[in-house]
Amino acid sequence: MKIYFLMSIFLLAGGSGSLTAQTVSGKVVNTEQQPIDGATIILQTSDSTFVDATISNADGNFVFNHQPEAYRLIFQHLLYHTIEKKGKEKDAGITVLQAKDYALDEVIVRGERPLVKVEGSRLTYDMPQLTANKLVTNVYDALKQLPGVMEQNGVLTLAGAGSINIILNGKPTSMNYEQLVTLLKGMPASRVERAEVMYNTPPQYHVRGAAINVILKGYKPGEGGLQGEINGNYVQANKAGEEGGVTFAYLSPKLDIDFMYNLNNHYNRQGYKLITRHTLNDEIHNISQSTNGENRQLVHTFRLGGNYKFNEQSQLGLSYTSSLNPDKQQSVTSSDNHSTTFNHAPAEEQMHNVALNYTSGFGLTGGIDYTYFRNKEEQSFRSIENNGQETTFLSNTAQYINRWKVYVDQNHTLSNAWVLNYGTSFTYVNNHNSQRYNLAAMSGMNKESRVDEYTYNLYASSG
């Protein structure tokens, strides 16, 4: 058994000694030299530390009241490609943005409701506006519509920040990134009210680096009562599968309840054939190899959450989230000049999360979050040589994870609009892994490990 003990303390204060009282200003235009209104501009130091954010005005002009010695500007707009620009001068000059391939009839402006607002270090996007007239079916796809957000190798990244954290309703969680993504892929995009993009996430969220805070819809006067949605889709490309689900929400001045169930039937087939001719000692050797495989899984995603409001400032929330993959099947057959191998790996996977949180009217928030994860896999391997010799073995692997997170945060509003924040969090993770083979000759490869991790964080910040 191995035990890891980690402790970190963060002391943060508003402002930075590397910034002067000077300004950075510039102008944003399109390829026709027309000013771009509503472009979001991010100001960072040369090492990607967030400094400030602003929005260009109707003339395309913008100004920051800070000037690092060397800075990076990130320009974002829904209708234009995101670009980055480095500089050292007070005048950042004119920046030209290239338009995306959007048809004009897909751009709809309703009243004076802004698409994005700069709120301190947050960029808050109105998600119903952002996804209007776009083919997005779930929350994860909706997040990919955010300016500056891209998907690379199945992971969301943010221009100027790299990888990002995902936060749901502003509450810390013990679920990891992959588990949160599974939940968001099963949740309809219509459930999201807004998304807060943070390049430098405040410490009370208990994550490091950049983050996207996904805020689900809650009660609003005139929009309460029972709401529901049924959805489904079928995809046929390199992979085929069906997906569908149902969502219900009951919203009222005192109690909000949401229920979501999603079923994803996933099938993926792949294969290739390789034929080569090699010359050795003036003799040509024909070598061929082919591989064919398929992957099948049926994933059930479930969430039930409730939020009781004592008054406008105080509320108590409780939620349960589960993801079940009871019959995952993966088979691969490979053959070459010398042998044919068969590999079959059935697996079972499940995740359960329970979260309880409380927000008071005097700036105190706290909560406890628990996640249980289990994965069991059996691998059957068989190899037949051309001479008839056969090798067969069976392996069993298992992983059990128990993860707890407890946090408490407090904020005070001081004179001159200053805010003092401080808090703490504790995370405990128990990870048990094992791998065993059925052959005595392979017993030396059997493994089993248990790891306990304890992490304590303290922070204080003002601004």
Side-chain angles (χ1 to χ4, degrees):
M1 177 183 294
K2 297 181 180 179
I3 296 178
Y4 292 90
F5 178 86
L6 302 174
M7 182 171 182
S8 57
I9 299 177
F10 302 96
L11 295 176
L12 307 175
S16 174
S18 63
L19 305 180
T20 71
Q22 295 177 315
T23 63
V24 175
S25 61
K27 186 174 183 178
V28 189
V29 300
N30 59 23
T31 54
E32 305 297 327
Q33 297 301 308
Q34 298 171 330
I36 297 178
D37 182 16
T40 304
I41 303 97
I42 313 296
L43 174 64
Q44 296 180 331
T45 60
S46 57
D47 61 354
S48 300
T49 300
F50 176 87
V51 177
D52 203 354
T54 190
I55 297 176
S56 60
N57 61 21
D59 297 323
N61 297 318
F62 66 91
V63 62
F64 291 102
N65 294 321
H66 307 285
Q67 185 189 349
E69 291 184 7
Y71 58 81
R72 176 191 288 122
L73 295 174
I74 303 173
F75 297 85
Q76 302 174 351
H77 194 283
L78 179 63
L79 303 180
Y80 298 87
H81 292 286
T82 298
I83 68 169
E84 299 181 16
K85 185 176 183 179
K86 295 182 179 180
K88 294 184 178 180
E89 305 299 326
K90 177 179 179 180
D91 185 2
I94 298 177
T95 302
V96 181
L97 300 186
Q98 299 288 332
K100 293 182 179 179
D101 295 330
Y102 283 140
L104 291 179
D105 58 1
E106 291 184 355
V107 182
I108 300 176
V109 179
R110 295 185 177 93
E112 298 180 355
R113 186 177 173 185
L115 175 67
V116 57
K117 295 188 294 182
V118 178
E119 301 174 322
S121 62
R122 298 177 177 86
L123 303 176
T124 303
Y125 290 88
D126 186 321
M127 295 305 290
Q129 276 202 89
L130 183 69
T131 57
N133 300 305
K134 291 186 174 63
L135 186 60
V136 293
T137 58
N138 57 63
V139 177
Y140 184 81
D141 288 340
L143 295 183
K144 292 191 291 185
Q145 304 299 317
L146 291 169
V149 175
M150 299 170 290
E151 185 181 41
Q152 297 181 344
N153 299 321
V155 177
L156 294 182
T157 62
L158 181 63
S163 61
I164 54 178
N165 298 283
I166 296 178
I167 304 169
L168 187 61
N169 285 331
K171 302 297 189 293
T173 180
S174 59
M175 288 190 287
N176 61 26
Y177 178 87
E178 291 76 14
Q179 292 163 351
L180 280 169
V181 166
T182 299
L183 173 62
L184 297 183
K185 286 183 176 180
M187 187 177 294
S190 59
R191 285 290 297 128
V192 182
E193 178 178 346
R194 64 185 187 275
E196 299 174 344
V197 178
M198 298 172 283
Y199 278 80
N200 188 20
T201 309
Q204 56 265 34
Y205 290 98
H206 300 282
V207 297
R208 298 185 183 183
I212 298 178
N213 182 22
V214 181
I215 307 297
L216 302 182
K217 291 181 179 178
Y219 172 77
K220 291 182 179 179
E223 299 181 6
L226 182 64
Q227 305 172 6
E229 178 179 334
I230 298 176
N231 62 82
N233 64 74
Y234 174 82
V235 177
Q236 174 65 56
N238 293 328
K239 57 184 180 180
E242 306 84 26
E243 183 176 4
V246 58
T247 301
F248 292 104
Y250 174 76
L251 309 177
S252 71
K254 277 292 185 180
L255 180 65
D256 292 343
I257 298 176
D258 67 273
F259 167 83
M260 183 273 292
Y261 170 74
N262 180 266
L263 177 65
N264 188 334
N265 183 20
H266 174 84
Y267 172 70
N268 184 26
R269 185 174 59 186
Q270 56 188 358
Y272 71 89
K273 188 173 184 178
L274 177 67
I275 300 176
T276 60
R277 302 181 69 186
H278 295 274
T279 301
L280 178 64
N281 298 327
D282 297 326
E283 184 180 352
I284 297 178
H285 299 267
N286 295 314
I287 299 177
S288 64
Q289 183 178 7
S290 64
T291 300
N292 292 282
E294 63 177 20
N295 182 297
R296 297 177 182 271
Q297 53 183 323
L298 194 64
V299 182
H300 306 263
T301 305
F302 172 90
R303 170 184 161 86
L304 177 62
N307 197 40
Y308 180 77
K309 291 159 278 188
F310 300 98
N311 51 52
E312 292 185 0
Q313 291 80 31
S314 301
Q315 56 186 12
L316 180 68
L318 176 65
S319 67
Y320 168 70
T321 303
S322 178
S323 178
L324 305 176
N325 190 349
D327 189 24
K328 184 177 181 180
Q329 301 285 336
Q330 182 175 357
S331 299
V332 177
T333 300
S334 180
S335 62
D336 55 30
N337 295 63
H338 305 286
S339 64
T340 300
T341 61
F342 306 90
N343 196 338
H344 180 61
E348 178 265 335
E349 186 176 287
Q350 58 178 274
M351 185 277 297
H352 305 274
N353 172 266
V354 179
L356 177 67
N357 57 79
Y358 172 72
T359 301
S360 73
F362 51 89
L364 176 68
T365 62
I368 181 170
D369 193 288
Y370 170 70
T371 297
Y372 170 77
F373 173 81
R374 183 181 77 183
N375 175 270
K376 299 176 69 176
E377 180 177 316
E378 180 181 280
Q379 182 178 0
S380 175
F381 179 85
R382 182 186 180 195
S383 176
I384 303 176
E385 305 288 340
N386 289 346
N387 59 10
Q389 183 179 355
E390 182 175 332
T391 302
T392 304
F393 69 84
L394 186 69
S395 69
N396 288 276
T397 61
Q399 182 180 38
Y400 302 89
I401 297 177
N402 292 277
R403 187 184 294 114
W404 291 86
K405 191 177 189 70
V406 182
Y407 59 93
V408 179
D409 302 281
Q410 177 70 54
N411 70 76
H412 300 280
T413 301
L414 308 177
S415 59
N416 299 321
W418 275 67
V419 178
L420 174 64
N421 298 289
Y422 55 90
T424 183
S425 67
F426 165 70
T427 303
Y428 167 70
V429 181
N430 172 260
N431 191 344
H432 178 202
N433 295 274
S434 65
Q435 183 172 10
R436 299 187 178 279
Y437 297 87
N438 67 329
L439 294 182
M442 303 178 68
S443 60
M445 300 174 61
N446 292 342
K447 297 179 181 179
E448 184 164 356
S449 67
R450 296 175 183 267
V451 177
D452 292 306
E453 297 182 16
Y454 302 84
T455 305
Y456 301 87
N457 286 316
L458 300 172
Y459 77 89
S461 67
S462 62

